[in-house]
Amino acid sequence: MSILEMKVPSPGESITEVEIATWLVKDGDYVEKDQAIAEVDSDKATLELPAEASGIITLKAEEGDAVAVGQVVCLIDTSAAKPEGGASEASKPAEESKPTPAPAKVEAPVATTTYASGTASPAAKKILDEKNIDTTSIQGTGKDGRITKEDAVNAVPSMGTPTGGARGTERKKMSMLRRKVAERLVHAKNTTAMLTTFNEVNLTPVNKLRNEYKDAFKAKHGVGLGYMSFFTKAVTRALQLYPDVNSMIDGQEQISFDFCDISVAVSGPKGLMVPVVRSAELLSFRGVENEIKRLAIRARDGQITVDEMTGGTFTISNGGVFGSMLSTPIINPPQSGILGMHNIIERPIAVNGKVEIHPMMFVALSYDHRIIDGRESVGFLVAVKEALENPVELLMGNDIKKALEL
């Protein structure tokens, strides 16, 4: 017999333990090499654990267990032969046995009720009538269940409280990723001087460009021309105009960046994840859309890595996809700013002295007031607004087809 000990690999720097989220196989199953046998949660991501060899597996940890990096979580008997039909011995059905005769039918005892069961004494019935309480709703404490005067005095009317229906509760442990997200959000709330400033954007120019070029863009590049590329390009432009927003605090020092690594909040099966679009200021519209699509698919499929979610300098969060109209996003530490997008609603606005209907979006910038002043925060958000309301000139250099690579 040859036994392989499978140990927890290190998902990334600074991670010392993970949590067994789900076993994808059962104890005694035959597994193939590189087959995903478990999902493990770290404080940054959910990752799959592949089998290091083929054989019969013996589990050494339970779901929900916190295990240290390098700890043995399962054993694989690599000398075991693959069962016929691909099923493990443990999963094969048991041999058929002779049917056993059904037990003789036993008549259930008939419940007997006495005259007193569920009835009330005359004094008790009078009190219940005055309280407008039905005798069937009272459990009597007298002999044979008889409702006594004391029962009636102590009875309390329901006051219309609904009865029946499901009233169950469920308690489950939060995943390590969810716990870490909660910890980071509370830390950001408690340790930063966070403020939020708001503005609104007329997305008519962006919608016109998307409607006119989205089909050609999709046919040429195999990806949609979405709002995120316009917002990402507008944000990287604004970050270069207001570099304090693209910085962070480290102790008593301020670190500023000459590149824009944009964290994009996406919803994954294990909750919110924030993969990073590296050097977004150098990417074209096609490059931004391709990278966001790639990262979103990896997050959705649980394949995102720790490295792909660390090192961002600024975050964009789009609550509008869930219908949010206005919110105050929380800074993603150690970053100093986050832009919140919201849903698009057609609203009447004044244009050149006339009322017109346009697709409008509220945008919010939450920022750390310790290093970003009002001038920078408001100026940054105005710069984002200006770029989105004049994308041809400010984001495309007055050459739409070149910017979209058509």
Side-chain angles (χ1 to χ4, degrees), residues 309-368:
M309 295 198 298
T310 55
T313 63
F314 185 87
T315 296
I316 300 176
S317 177
N318 185 6
V321 296
F322 305 110
S324 172
M325 183 176 182
L326 191 62
S327 66
T328 56
I330 297 180
I331 296 170
N332 179 22
Q335 299 171 17
S336 298
I338 178 172
L339 179 76
M341 299 167 56
H342 300 92
N343 61 351
I344 302 170
I345 297 178
E346 291 195 341
R347 297 202 307 271
I349 62 171
V351 179
N352 297 324
K354 297 180 179 179
V355 176
E356 298 180 5
I357 305 296
H358 286 271
M360 304 297 294
M361 176 193 286
F362 288 120
V363 288
L365 173 70
S366 291
Y367 61 97
D368 191 343

Side-chain angles (χ1 to χ4, degrees), residues 180-192 330-331 333:
K180 187 62 177 180
V181 169
E183 178 185 321
R184 286 167 60 86
L185 293 178
V186 172
H187 176 77
K189 190 75 173 177
N190 292 339
T191 62
T192 63
I330 297 180
I331 296 170

Side-chain angles (χ1 to χ4, degrees), residues 245-256:
V245 183
N246 195 40
S247 61
M248 60 184 62
I249 291 179
D250 183 14
Q252 296 183 346
E253 298 177 335
Q254 176 178 336
I255 303 174
S256 298

Side-chain angles (χ1 to χ4, degrees), residues 81-158:
K82 183 176 182 179
E84 294 182 7
S88 67
E89 294 296 331
S91 61
K92 286 184 178 180
E95 292 184 4
E96 294 184 4
S97 56
K98 294 181 180 180
T100 56
K105 186 176 180 181
V106 179
E107 294 292 336
V110 178
T112 59
T113 57
T114 67
Y115 174 79
S117 297
T119 62
S121 67
K125 190 173 188 311
K126 180 179 180 182
I127 294 172
L128 292 176
D129 288 342
E130 292 174 352
K131 292 184 176 183
N132 196 27
I133 298 177
D134 192 342
T135 57
T136 59
S137 65
I138 303 299
Q139 179 65 47
T141 61
K143 184 178 180 181
D144 296 326
R146 188 178 181 88
I147 300 171
T148 65
K149 179 180 179 181
E150 184 178 0
D151 294 332
V153 171
N154 294 332
V156 178
S158 66

Side-chain angles (χ1 to χ4, degrees), residues 46-48 297-305 308:
T46 298
L47 306 171
E48 287 186 345
I297 290 174
R298 287 177 61 78
R300 181 196 65 196
D301 295 343
Q303 298 176 344
I304 202 79
T305 65
E308 288 172 317

